[in-house]
Each structure stands twice: as structure tokens, then as C-alpha cells.
């Protein structure tokens, strides 16, 4: 008896993989699909059409198994981890159809006699749309390829099970974040990608210049001022807190940081939110924790098979870690308490933990482990190591600001935020200390026309995906990674 291969394109398919919706629940974009309507694989597996109905399926061949009388094909179109089995009669022309080929198939959906699948398609016609030479394809049907290996082929890795699962999870996560903010009354603001300010104040900016030689000879700025790719939408969101109480943005950000670590990219996505009329870091931390848990629950419910692929074959212990994060309240430590814990530990750190210095990755990892591998908020950082917009706590003898970072297992810093300095005199003093007097006049003016106490945060989307899936390298959770000395495609 023919049996479906359980190892396809990069990583094995979980033996219990199934589509996560009930049979009969139609997912067709349009109601009343005609006999020649294209049917997605996920809809075929869910029984979106009646048995024996004529359908058309398009996709790519994941497996070919020829027997004496019939040939079996596994077809996938990216809509589901599980593929649809096609039963091809001997009179059908399947010459040239190989592993990786693009095909279009007409036939009838029927109940499958095999225990591991409920549906299969009896083909009446098969058309080869795009041929594929499996010898030259860098992914082999019976080999398990590592994430590091498939990373070498950014133009092809979407064909693997593991990366197609990642892209479905990423799409669902994107929807989950938007859904959370919409359901909680936040207004979505499109902040600009081109900006004239450096929100983080670290100088890690990509400057924009016209590529034409004519503009170069004129030696003038296209926008009349130096312009850059944004490092954060925060300052533009703060503008909107003059009229909206809850706002957010979700888009690409850029850092010209010469780093190739597993946590850094030159281009990545950020989820950023601002809350007006708030005077407590607690309000911000509550939104962050609720966002993390709500979005994660949503993704787990929508993409269980794709998540299982990662938790079973990429990071076998991550399922338990994630359950621990979800069922426990996030911990809270002050920066001073965190430094005290690090200094009292028996651990030998590469960077000595000192009050007044930023926490390093090794420090963040130790603190999370110290707190039982539960996410931990670190609050009230030293005044001198945070940006000019962080609200002065006016405390002593150790001067701090109302800033917060969320540290999570396996990653370290996932999220950073603060109350913003709404008091004009203190803001002006801070800008002067940073040598920015006059640079942010518009930002100062916001404090003159109905300003309110406010605060917000930014969450790294790719680091979030690393956190829930257990993926070690951030380059493996984004379709086209950009980092120093690498901009493929």
C-alpha cells in the first residue's frame, strides 16, 4: 500500500498534522464556487465543497509516488502545512512532473481510504505549468535541512515546510497584533519611513541621498534637510497623543548597526504604541503583557500545526517554556534590584555588572533564569543611559528615569518603553545636556498646546517570533534578512 512520506522539503511533517478547522466550514473567498473555481488545498482538506464535486487545484508537487496502476502526487499551495493527495490514473499524461513542479489539476474530491488523511482528489486532468529539475534544486525530498542551510537560498527557502510554516505564522501574528489594538480601542497611525530625526539618539542611521549623479553635483539635500530611514515611529506617535488617547503603528524600522549577532538586523519590524493620560509605568506594562499573551493565544489557536512543527523539530523544549510564560504573571524588578542580583550571583560575567551601565545580553539571560524563566520587566533605569524623552523620576541619590524593558527567555530584551517627559522645563534641560537644543523645537512645542502625561513602548516583531517559536537566529524569522555586509535580492 502506498504511504505518504513524512519528511518533505526541509523538515518532517508532524505525523498528526491536521488542518485546524472543522469539516464543512467553508473558507472560499466567494460563495457558490463554480465547478471550475480554483480551490485552495486548505479548503479541500476541510471539505469546503461537497464530495464528488468537480474542482481545480493549483500548487507545487511535494512528493511523487508511482505504483503499477496509479501515481500519487502530494500537492501544496502554501495555504496549509498538510498537502493534498492526488490520485492519477495511468491514462493521464504526467510526463515531466517531478518533485518541485508547478501543476494545475482538475478532478473530484472523495473520501480517502487511508487513515492518515480524510480527503484526496481523483484527477481527471493534470497540466504541467512549470517544470522543475529536482537534481538542481538545493532542497531534497528525503533530507532534513537546517535553518542555517536554507538561509543560503533566500529566493527558494519559501518552498520548504519549515519556512512556509514560518511565513504563515508571521502572517497570523501580524493579524493578531492588529486585532489586539483594534479590539482595545487603539487607532492605527501610519508613521513615516523617511524622517529627519534620530529618535534613539544613538546615531545608527541610514542617510537617504538621491542616486542620480545630477543631484550629487548640486550638493543639496533632496528634502533641504538631512533625511534618514526611521529607527522608530515613537516621536511621530507622540505628536498624535495631542488628539488621540491610544494609538499604535506597525512597520519597518532601520538601524545602521554593524552587527551580525543572532539578535540583530538592519531592517526589522516594530510594533509601537502610545497611551495618553497615563502617569504610571504599570499602565504600560499591563498593555505589553496583555498584548503578548493575547496575540500568542490567537496564533496558537489559528496555526497549531505550523507551531507544532517548530516546537517538535526546531526547538523541542520551547513548548514547555512558552506554556510557562503564558500561565504566569510577568515579574517586575527595578534596575537597582537587577544589578544587586547580578552582583551577588556566583556567575562569572564577561561584562561586570555595575550600577549606571546598560544591561548586556548575558545579564538579561541571567535575570530571566533567576526569575524562573518567566518574562521580567526591569524598571527605573539610570538617568544617564536612557534617551532624552524618558521621564525624570527626580529621585536620589541614584538618579533614574521612568523607563522599562521586557526581558524574555532565550532572547533577552523584547520590548522597551517609558513614560515621556511632558514637563517643558525638564525636557529643555535634557535636550541641552544632549547637545540638541533647538533641534527638536517642534517636540518642545507639543508641551505648550494641551500636553498630557503619556508613555509608550516598542516591541520587536522578529524577536517576538523568535521567542514563541524557539528560533535561535533572527535571520530565520524574516523573509529577506538585511544585516551588515548582506543585502541579497
Amino acid at each position: 500500500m502506498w504511504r505518504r512520506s513524512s519528511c518533505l522539503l526541509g523538515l518532517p511533517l508532524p505525523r498528526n498534522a491536521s488542518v485546524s478547522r472543522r469539516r464543512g466550514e467553508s473558507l472560499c473567498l466567494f460563495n457558490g464556487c463554480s465547478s471550475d473555481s480554483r480551490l485552495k488545498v486548505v479548503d479541500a482538506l476541510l471539505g469546503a465543497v461537497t464530495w464528488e464535486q468537480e474542482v481545480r487545484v493549483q500548487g507545487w508537487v511535494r512528493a511523487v509516488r508511482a505504483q503499477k496502476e496509479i501515481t500519487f502526487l502530494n500537492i501544496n499551495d502554501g495555504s496549509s502545512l498538510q498537502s493534498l493527495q492526488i490520485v492519477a490514473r495511468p491514462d493521464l499524461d504526467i510526463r515531466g512532473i517531478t518533485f518541485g513542479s508547478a501543476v494545475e489539476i482538475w478532478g473530484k474530491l472523495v473520501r480517502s481510504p487511508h487513515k492518515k488523511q480524510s480527503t484526496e482528489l481523483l484527477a481527471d486532468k493534470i497540466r504541467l505549468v512549470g517544470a522543475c529539475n529536482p537534481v538542481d534544486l538545493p532542497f531534497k525530498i528525503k533530507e532534513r535541512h537546517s535553518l542555517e542551510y536554507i538561509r543560503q537560498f533566500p529566493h527558494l527557502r519559501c518552498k520548504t515546510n519549515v519556512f512556509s510554516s514560518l511565513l504563515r505564522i508571521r502572517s497570523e501574528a501580524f493579524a493578531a497584533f492588529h486585532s489586539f489594538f483594534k479590539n482595545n480601542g487603539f487607532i492605527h497611525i501610519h508613521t513615516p519611513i523617511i524622517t529627519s530625526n534620530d529618535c534613539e539618539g544613538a546615531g545608527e542611521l541610514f542617510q537617504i541621498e538621491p542616486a542620480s549623479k545630477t543631484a550629487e553635483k548640486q550638493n543639496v539635500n533632496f528634502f533641504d534637510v538631512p533625511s534618514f530611514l526611521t529607527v522608530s515611529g515613537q516621536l511621530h506617535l507622540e505628536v498624535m497623543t495631542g488628539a488621540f488617547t491610544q494609538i499604535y503603528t506597525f512597520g519597518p524600522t532601520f538601524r545602521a548597526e554593524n552587527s551580525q549577532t543572532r539578535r540583530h538586523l538592519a531592517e526589522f519590524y516594530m510594533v509601537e504604541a502610545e497611551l495618553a493620560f497615563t502617569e504610571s509605568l504599570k499602565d504600560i506594562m499591563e498593555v505589553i503583557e496583555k498584548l503578548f499573551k493575547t496575540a500568542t493565544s490567537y496564533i496558537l489557536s489559528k496555526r497549531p500545526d505550523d507551531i507544532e512543527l517548530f516546537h517538535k523539530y526546531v526547538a523541542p523544549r520551547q513548548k514547555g517554556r512558552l506554556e510557562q510564560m503564558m500561565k504566569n504573571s510577568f515579574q517586575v524588578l527595578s534596575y537597582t534590584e537587577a544589578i544587586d542580583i547580578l552582583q551577588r550571583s556566583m556567575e562569572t560575567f564577561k561584562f561586570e555588572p555595575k550600577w549606571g551601565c546598560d544591561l548586556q545580553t548575558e545579564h538579561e539571560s541571567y535575570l530571566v533564569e533567576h526569575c524562573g524563566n518567566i518574562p521580567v520587566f526591569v524598571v527605573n533605569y539610570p538617568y544617564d543611559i536612557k534617551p532624552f524623552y524618558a521621564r525624570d523620576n527626580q529621585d536620589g541619590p541614584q538618579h533614574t528615569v521612568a523607563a522599562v524593558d521586557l526581558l524574555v527567555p532565550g532572547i533577552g530584551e523584547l520590548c522597551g518603553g517609558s513614560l515621556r517627559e511632558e514637563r517643558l522645563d525638564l525636557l529643555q534641560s535634557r535636550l541641552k545636556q544632549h547637545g540638541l537644543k533647538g533641534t527638536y523645537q517642534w517636540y518642545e512645542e507639543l508641551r505648550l498646546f494641551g500636553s498630557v502625561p503619556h508613555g509608550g513602548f516598542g516591541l520587536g516583531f522578529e524577536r517576538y517570533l523568535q521567542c514563541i517559536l524557539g528560533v535561535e537566529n533572527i535571520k530565520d524569522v524574516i523573509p529577506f534578512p538585511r544585516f551588515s555586509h548582506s543585502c541579497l535580492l
Side-chain angles (χ1 to χ4, degrees), residues 169-438:
I169 293 168
R170 186 182 171 98
S171 176
E172 210 69 69
F174 191 84
F177 279 90
H178 280 294
S179 177
F180 170 85
F181 285 116
K182 183 178 180 180
N183 292 339
N184 285 278
F186 283 74
I187 300 297
H188 184 200
I189 304 295
H190 293 98
T191 55
I193 290 176
I194 299 175
T195 181
S196 60
N197 64 65
D198 178 6
C199 178
E200 295 299 312
E204 296 167 344
L205 299 163
F206 287 105
Q207 187 162 356
I208 297 175
E209 296 178 355
S212 67
K213 293 183 178 180
T214 303
E216 191 176 297
K217 288 179 181 178
Q218 292 175 347
N219 197 28
V220 294
N221 290 305
F222 183 87
F223 296 102
D224 291 334
V225 295
S227 54
F228 313 93
L229 293 178
T230 183
V231 296
S232 170
Q234 178 203 315
L235 298 186
H236 296 96
L237 284 183
E238 284 196 62
V239 170
M240 299 301 171
T241 59
F244 299 92
T245 58
Q246 295 184 131
I247 50 180
Y248 80 101
T249 191
F250 192 171
T253 54
F254 307 85
R255 303 282 171 88
E257 186 175 4
N258 189 16
S259 173
Q260 297 191 37
T261 73
R262 64 183 183 87
R263 303 195 315 156
H264 292 93
L265 290 168
E267 177 186 10
F268 55 96
Y269 278 71
M270 283 273 283
V271 184
E272 300 178 84
E274 289 288 319
L275 293 79
F277 296 97
T278 182
E279 299 181 65
S280 170
L281 281 179
K282 183 179 178 182
D283 295 339
I284 296 171
M285 291 188 290
E286 285 179 354
V287 174
I288 294 172
E289 183 169 354
K290 187 177 179 183
L291 170 63
F292 181 97
K293 292 183 175 180
T294 303
T296 304
S297 294
Y298 179 94
I299 298 162
L300 290 172
S301 68
K302 294 292 184 179
R303 289 292 170 191
D305 297 339
D306 292 317
I307 295 286
E308 182 193 3
L309 182 64
F310 279 87
H311 288 177
K312 189 171 184 178
Y313 298 108
V314 176
R317 293 187 295 174
Q318 191 62 23
K319 183 178 180 180
R321 294 193 194 104
L322 188 58
E323 290 174 350
Q324 183 82 349
M325 286 186 259
M326 294 293 287
K327 72 181 182 181
N328 289 286
S329 298
F330 292 1
Q331 302 294 298
V332 182
L333 293 174
S334 71
Y335 170 87
T336 301
E337 290 172 330
I339 293 296
D340 184 56
I341 290 169
L342 293 169
Q343 290 178 337
R344 287 190 289 106
S345 74
M346 302 300 291
E347 194 82 10
T348 301
F349 296 108
K350 181 179 178 180
F351 297 94
E352 182 183 355
K354 294 180 181 179
W355 203 98
C357 294
D358 218 342
L359 297 176
Q360 301 297 318
T361 302
E362 58 180 344
H363 303 149
E364 295 169 349
S365 298
Y366 182 87
L367 291 170
V368 171
E369 187 176 344
H370 175 84
C371 292
N373 283 314
I374 297 168
V376 55
F377 290 109
V378 179
V379 302
N380 298 329
Y381 278 79
Y383 179 88
D384 291 329
I385 67 173
K386 287 298 180 180
F388 66 87
Y389 51 73
R391 195 177 197 276
D392 189 347
N393 282 329
Q394 294 185 300
D395 52 358
Q398 295 173 319
H399 197 178
T400 67
V401 292
V404 56
D405 286 342
L406 175 63
L407 312 181
V408 296
I411 304 299
E413 181 188 346
L414 172 65
C415 191
S418 74
L419 297 179
R420 317 309 189 190
E421 186 56 82
E422 85 284 1
R423 297 161 293 185
L424 182 57
D425 57 335
L426 293 179
L427 176 60
Q428 290 174 330
S429 174
R430 186 77 154 144
L431 287 168
K432 184 178 180 180
Q433 289 175 14
H434 283 259
L436 298 172
K437 185 178 181 180

Side-chain angles (χ1 to χ4, degrees), residues 6 13 17 40 46 96 111 116 118 122 139 141 144 159 185 195 247 258 289 291 306 373 395 423 428 435 442 459:
S6 63
L13 186 69
K40 289 188 177 294
L46 289 170
R111 289 186 176 87
K116 293 181 180 180
S118 59
L122 299 181
F139 312 127
I141 187 171
R144 185 185 301 184
K159 295 178 177 294
T195 181
I247 50 180
N258 189 16
E289 183 169 354
L291 170 63
D306 292 317
N373 283 314
D395 52 358
R423 297 161 293 185
Q428 290 174 330
W442 64 269
L459 180 149

